[in-house]
Amino acid sequence: MPRVSEGTKLTQVEHILASGSATLDFAVKGENNYYTWEGPENADWTAENVLRVENDDEDRLILFPENEYFTCEVEHDSNGVEIVRCK
């Protein structure tokens, strides 16, 4: 799985797998592998315009967008810590 970090913008994200260990896996249209972001414990990430959330298993959630896709950006907050914002 390709890793993503600050400065990455992913478009056409079909769904997001989120784990309690601050790992996000992004399913991008037309790609065979997930793109993965590993944040620090208690990492700050948000996903807006979520249609539904499903449990993949006890430690993982699947988030689906209201519209066709999410757009997700990895950036730094005011303290220099990596964060993810998906809309």
Side-chain angles (χ1 to χ4, degrees):
M1 289 185 232
R3 303 281 184 216
V4 296
S5 60
E6 194 270 329
T8 301
K9 181 176 182 176
L10 300 171
T11 59
Q12 296 187 322
V13 176
E14 296 178 319
H15 65 270
I16 302 166
L17 293 173
S19 75
S21 63
T23 299
L24 301 177
D25 294 316
F26 306 96
V28 176
K29 181 182 177 182
E31 299 286 336
N32 293 328
N33 294 311
Y34 284 95
Y35 287 86
T36 300
W37 176 76
E38 293 179 301
E41 188 173 333
N42 299 320
D44 183 19
W45 63 271
T46 59
E48 298 176 12
N49 305 317
V50 175
L51 175 65
R52 73 179 191 279
V53 177
E54 295 178 2
N55 286 339
D56 182 42
D57 64 33
E58 292 181 16
D59 186 40
R60 304 215 11 117
L61 301 172
I62 306 172
L63 292 85
F64 294 93
E66 280 182 349
N67 299 313
E68 200 168 355
Y69 306 108
F70 289 112
T71 295
C72 298
E73 294 186 68
V74 183
E75 52 195 26
H76 282 107
D77 67 9
S78 59
N79 296 320
V81 177
E82 266 190 6
I83 58 174
V84 175
R85 300 285 179 247
C86 297
K87 298 180 185 178

